[in-house]
Amino acid sequence: NAGVTQTPKFRILKIGQSMTLQCTQDMNHNYMYWYRQDPGMGLKLIYYSVGAGITDKGEVPNGYNVSRSTTEDFPLRLELAAPSQTSVYFCASSQRQGSDTEAFFGQGTRLTVV
Amino acid sequence: DAKTTQPPSMDCAEGRAANLPCNHSTISGNEYVYWYRQIHSQGPQYIIHGLKNNETNEMASLIITEDRKSSTLILPHATLRDTAVYYCIVRAPSGGSNYKLTFGKGTLLTVNP
């Protein structure tokens, strides 16, 4: 059982370039999330999805886009990379919306924009 | 969701119990207390959660005060591999903004040999 898989693990982008961070889960979870974590800080929610075809903004959505065409995949798109997007990105999933569910996290993608 | 307050860092000797406090004085009656940890910039890992009663699993115990304004995560026999940032999170039940976990800065627990 792979859980939540993120690719790539590391990436360096030039300012203005675009890229897609991939996230796949094999637990048939309805809920998926994207967080970013800046050095020494906690995680901040970028976007989330409650099911295929449904996405919504989190706390820091500017500069990002997401899609959810299948239950398994939740890619995060950066259209015009900026230095402020240098961060570690974590994808997570949970089984359902509820107070007694745990979220499973991927191992992260470390992105540097230069 | 209610906010939480944790000490920025703590030390613990290997083999001893690690007691990590969390203050959540504005918690609502239907909000749960969750604990996650993050080891060396890996993805956060779920530890335990509870509502009113004390909880125990294979990783840790969670003690919630009667007024629910604070809680303590207990690692009974800390090992070097328990060195991590521990996050205490208060989460609303179904509906509303329950989709997200709001992370603060957490407590950096360092287990010393």
Side-chain angles (χ1 to χ4, degrees):
Chain A
N1 189 344
V4 178
T5 303
Q6 293 183 235
T7 56
K9 289 185 172 59
F10 303 94
R11 183 73 186 267
I12 298 175
L13 276 183
K14 293 184 178 180
I15 295 171
Q17 287 186 321
S18 61
M19 78 163 294
T20 299
L21 283 67
Q22 302 290 344
C23 177
T24 299
Q25 54 92 8
D26 62 1
M27 297 171 282
N28 201 33
H29 285 173
N30 288 327
Y31 289 82
M32 296 188 74
Y33 319 83
W34 274 106
Y35 288 86
R36 61 175 285 173
Q37 185 175 33
D38 298 331
M41 305 297 288
L43 283 74
K44 293 184 178 179
L45 184 67
I46 305 172
Y47 270 95
Y48 71 103
S49 169
V50 301
I54 306 171
T55 63
D56 209 344
K57 298 177 180 179
E59 304 167 76
V60 290
N62 291 342
Y64 307 94
N65 282 299
V66 294
S67 60
R68 186 89 183 276
S69 57
T70 66
T71 299
E72 295 78 18
D73 302 309
F74 190 41
L76 178 71
R77 179 81 177 166
L78 283 71
E79 292 293 349
L80 293 170
S84 60
Q85 294 178 305
T86 293
S87 190
V88 181
Y89 292 83
F90 290 102
C91 179
S93 72
S94 63
Q95 185 174 18
R96 59 182 170 84
Q97 189 179 38
S99 56
D100 58 348
T101 60
E102 61 178 285
F104 294 82
F105 285 80
Q107 289 305 298
T109 295
R110 188 175 299 274
L111 176 67
T112 302
V113 181
V114 296
Chain B
D1 295 337
K3 292 185 178 180
T4 62
T5 303
Q6 300 177 252
S9 64
M10 294 183 64
D11 287 318
C12 177
E14 188 178 19
R16 304 297 294 269
N19 298 287
L20 290 89
C22 179
N23 182 288
H24 32 79
S25 58
T26 61
I27 191 170
S28 299
N30 61 352
E31 290 180 320
Y32 281 66
V33 179
Y34 277 76
W35 284 83
Y36 281 76
R37 74 179 182 182
Q38 189 174 24
I39 298 173
H40 192 53
S41 297
Q42 296 178 14
Q45 176 190 24
Y46 166 82
I47 301 173
I48 198 168
H49 74 281
L51 181 63
K52 295 180 180 179
N53 299 321
N54 298 336
E55 302 288 343
T56 295
N57 62 20
E58 65 278 5
M59 291 182 66
S61 294
L62 174 60
I63 308 298
I64 302 174
T65 57
E66 190 170 348
D67 63 8
R68 301 207 330 119
K69 293 184 177 182
S70 65
S71 61
T72 301
L73 179 73
I74 300 174
L75 307 179
H77 304 287
T79 70
L80 298 179
R81 288 178 293 181
D82 291 322
T83 293
V85 177
Y86 288 77
Y87 297 99
C88 170
I89 299 166
V90 170
R91 187 178 189 186
S94 297
S97 61
N98 187 45
Y99 56 84
K100 65 180 181 181
L101 293 168
T102 300
F103 288 81
K105 293 187 177 182
T107 295
L108 172 59
L109 174 68
T110 302
V111 181
N112 300 305

